[in-house]
Amino acid sequence: MEITAKDIAAILVDAAISEEKAEAFQSCCNECFGAGVTLNPLNLIDVGRFEVKTANATIFVAPEQSYLLETRVIDGRKYLTIPVEEEIEVNGFGVRTQGEKQG
């Protein structure tokens, strides 16, 4: 599947990137590669890793498990959520979630 710089600019705007930055991307792409050029998305992203960044944290998830990440608004605040069926480790140490009983 191939897409145009205009398609990518629209995706950027949908992802809350300013229209000015999206238009700048489209203009730069058109200048570098020619107007109307088609792009292969596989050349634009690293499919071997899935990384989510916020101002306070970076989370790496195996690409085949990326469907587990969800965004939620709880009490007016945005959250990333990951359902957990198994045990949780932080820096190699097992942790319990709030309200979880010791087993």
Side-chain angles (χ1 to χ4, degrees):
M1 175 180 153
E2 294 183 343
I3 58 177
T4 66
K6 183 177 181 177
D7 296 329
I8 294 176
I11 291 168
L12 293 173
V13 170
D14 285 344
I17 303 297
S18 71
E19 290 210 23
E20 294 81 24
K21 288 183 180 180
E23 288 173 8
F25 167 82
Q26 185 176 347
S27 294
C28 184
C29 192
N30 288 341
E31 286 176 25
C32 291
F33 305 112
V37 68
T38 57
L39 305 167
N40 184 333
L42 293 177
N43 293 332
L44 302 174
I45 59 172
D46 181 357
V47 295
R49 71 184 224 172
F50 189 84
E51 176 181 330
V52 178
K53 282 188 179 185
T54 72
N56 300 316
T58 302
I59 300 169
F60 295 94
V61 179
E64 60 274 5
Q65 300 296 316
S66 62
Y67 69 92
L68 292 171
L69 284 174
E70 298 177 5
T71 56
R72 301 267 174 113
V73 176
I74 302 170
D75 294 331
R77 293 182 64 189
K78 293 189 284 184
Y79 290 88
L80 282 172
T81 64
I82 305 169
V84 178
E85 301 294 330
E86 299 163 5
E87 305 196 1
I88 302 171
E89 273 189 22
V90 176
N91 295 330
F93 293 96
V95 295
R96 289 188 309 271
T97 56
Q98 187 175 11
E100 182 180 18
K101 295 179 183 178
Q102 279 186 312

